[in-house]
Amino acid sequence: MGVNMLARRKCSVEILKAVVMRVAVISLAFAVPYVTAGRQLSEGRSLPFGVCYWRQGSLINNISTGATEDLEHCRFEVRDPEFLNLLGSSPKFVEFVKTSAHEGAVWYPDKNELYFSSEKFTGLNGDPRTDLKKVNLQTGAVTVLSTPIEDVPNGMVLDNDGNLLVCQQGSENKLGFIQRINLKTGKKTVVADNWFGVPFNSPNDAVVTRDGSIWFTDPDYGFVQGFRSAPKVNNQVYRISVSGVVDAVADGFTKPNGLAFSPDEKRFYVADTGFLIGNPGQYDYSRPHSITVFDVSADGFLRNRRLFASVGVYDGSAPGLGIPDGIKVDTEERVYAGTVDGVQVFAKSGKPLGLIRQPSVANMGFAGKDLDILYILNETTISYVKLKAKAAGLKYASMF
């Protein structure tokens, strides 16, 4: 549009500007592979329904950043052609069930159930509450499990024996801890609740390695959101050995959040949601909105910390930046991050591939016998999309 307006001007100076602008636009088209007018790829393939391209905009020239088509018709937004291979020839986004769904998205293959936690709300006594829930993936029936109100469950993961490990954030009356729930018997045990006698801040999300170690993040969200006392230690990442010993393995984060390992467990990814101070609408632009990656040494400790991806918003219009929350990894070491605009997908190199558009995604998880169905939680809905990918790091689920 800007080019056409300039071309209509009669002044020779403005005509020159138009020529320069046209050259810039042509250069931009070559810089973004396969972006063409309409829905046809240069190689002759048609874009599937619901799929569109992302474009780089310009603030100075009033060219919007984001989808090349109406967002109503763009559920999948492509930044790199590799994303098309992940989506397949006819991707479908399905809104599965309406329910308060915030964290977790853990598949229990024995009963084809997905476990998750609700948004935090206020109970009858004014205490903070988060329900631990499950949904039957065959029928869509949602069940609220009986968990103590003061625990405030958040992220979770299956251990290698099929038990559910839950990050319990705690409250003013109860410390935060990592809980193990035997899904066959219902028995609950405390795995760990302190580091050198210091209570955890608010255990947030967890992952389990092949040797049975439990890794989890511990930001101070309980304090900044008003349901925990002031922290006594900085926001660290911890590892619990199979014998129950707790070690701090990484710090230097503002709000460590989602975490995941590469398929070979040689690299470790951690999301930092420090940009979001605590409550929705409170931001600090000087704080992180990124994913960090470490190398894992032979003794299980971390080294060579570096930036994997700084996360923004695809259409440039959200009140803030990407704020990566839960993260997952597939067998090709693509990294999936829940963000305010959906699920952003990155290549192993950190290159952005594309976006599965859905507002306010906190976490997601793979399910199904081929571990290729991505279930997405966005506070009010559980949705899913079948991908040309397979989840990594789900030892128990991989046995089925």
Side-chain angles (χ1 to χ4, degrees):
M1 180 181 297
V3 172
N4 292 336
M5 292 177 62
L6 289 171
R8 285 197 294 265
R9 295 179 185 262
K10 297 179 181 179
C11 175
S12 60
V13 175
E14 295 303 317
I15 291 175
L16 179 60
K17 289 182 179 179
V19 172
V20 173
M21 176 64 74
R22 185 172 294 277
V23 170
V25 171
I26 291 173
S27 300
L28 178 62
F30 279 103
V32 183
Y34 301 107
V35 175
T36 62
R39 300 182 58 77
Q40 194 75 16
L41 292 175
S42 60
E43 60 188 33
R45 293 167 53 195
S46 295
L47 282 176
F49 178 78
V51 180
C52 66
Y53 286 108
W54 176 90
R55 70 177 173 196
Q56 175 67 56
S58 171
L59 298 177
I60 294 175
N61 297 306
N62 197 30
I63 300 173
S64 62
T65 294
T68 55
E69 295 189 17
D70 191 315
L71 294 184
E72 183 180 351
H73 302 98
C74 180
R75 179 63 73 173
F76 307 96
E77 197 166 333
V78 180
R79 277 200 61 167
D80 187 273
E82 184 182 335
F83 195 53
L84 292 171
N85 299 328
L86 178 65
L87 295 176
S89 59
S90 56
K92 294 181 176 61
F93 186 92
V94 179
E95 291 193 344
F96 180 54
V97 64
K98 291 285 188 182
T99 185
S100 177
H102 177 67
E103 273 282 0
V106 174
W107 184 51
Y108 182 49
D110 298 53
K111 296 184 178 181
N112 196 24
E113 297 170 334
L114 194 78
Y115 283 75
F116 59 98
S117 58
S118 71
E119 289 186 281
K120 184 169 61 66
F121 59 95
T122 302
L124 295 177
N125 297 325
D127 296 324
R129 176 169 179 170
T130 300
D131 285 337
L132 178 60
K133 307 165 79 173
K134 66 178 180 179
V135 58
N136 185 295
L137 297 185
Q138 183 66 34
T139 66
V142 176
T143 303
V144 177
L145 305 179
S146 57
T147 56
I149 291 176
E150 65 267 22
D151 288 350
V152 192
N154 198 63
M156 59 196 75
V157 65
L158 282 189
D159 69 14
N160 297 339
D161 297 317
N163 301 301
L164 186 66
L165 298 172
V166 183
C167 292
Q168 302 285 10
Q169 298 179 84
S171 66
E172 286 288 354
N173 302 315
K174 191 168 186 178
L175 300 179
F177 64 105
I178 304 299
Q179 183 179 59
R180 177 179 282 115
I181 303 175
N182 186 313
L183 296 177
K184 293 182 173 65
T185 66
K187 181 180 178 181
K188 301 172 184 177
T189 54
V190 175
V191 179
D193 60 12
N194 74 93
W195 173 68
F196 285 108
V198 179
F200 298 136
N201 296 333
S202 299
N204 187 278
D205 208 351
V207 67
V208 177
T209 49
R210 283 190 289 269
D211 67 359
S213 300
I214 303 165
W215 299 58
F216 69 98
T217 53
D218 187 40
D220 59 355
Y221 276 125
F223 172 65
V224 297
Q225 292 176 2
F227 62 90
R228 289 291 307 273
S229 56
K232 297 181 178 179
V233 66
N234 58 355
N235 296 330
Q236 301 186 130
V237 180
Y238 296 95
R239 181 187 62 197
I240 309 172
S241 71
V242 292
S243 63
V245 176
V246 179
D247 285 307
V249 291
D251 67 1
F253 295 98
T254 304
K255 295 283 189 297
N257 205 304
L259 68 172
F261 279 90
S262 64
D264 59 9
E265 298 184 356
K266 292 183 178 180
R267 285 164 297 283
F268 178 58
Y269 299 88
V270 182
D272 194 335
T273 54
F275 172 76
L276 175 63
I277 295 175
N279 293 306
Q282 293 182 304
Y283 304 105
D284 183 340
Y285 289 90
S286 68
R287 295 185 176 189
H289 42 89
S290 56
I291 301 172
T292 296
V293 61
F294 298 83
D295 293 328
V296 184
S297 58
D299 62 1
F301 281 82
L302 307 176
R303 58 184 176 83
N304 194 21
R305 174 181 182 146
R306 58 202 183 274
L307 175 71
F308 173 73
S310 184
V311 180
V313 176
Y314 266 56
D315 66 9
S317 64
L321 297 172
I323 318 176
D325 200 326
I327 56 177
K328 299 293 183 289
V329 174
D330 68 20
T331 54
E332 298 298 318
E333 206 168 331
R334 288 179 288 243
V335 177
Y336 302 70
T339 70
V340 296
D341 55 357
V343 177
Q344 295 188 22
V345 185
F346 301 85
K348 177 181 177 180
S349 64
K351 175 178 63 176
L353 298 181
L355 171 73
I356 303 172
R357 185 175 297 281
Q358 176 77 329
S360 303
V361 173
N363 215 331
M364 77 238 67
F366 284 90
K369 62 183 181 64
D370 295 321
L371 293 176
D372 59 352
I373 304 175
L374 185 67
Y375 281 85
I376 300 168
L377 313 182
N378 87 320
E379 315 298 358
T380 62
T381 308
I382 299 177
S383 306
Y384 69 83
V385 57
K386 188 178 177 66
L387 299 172
K388 299 294 184 180
K390 183 175 182 177
L394 304 182
K395 180 178 178 182
Y396 185 78
S398 299
M399 297 164 52
F400 287 76

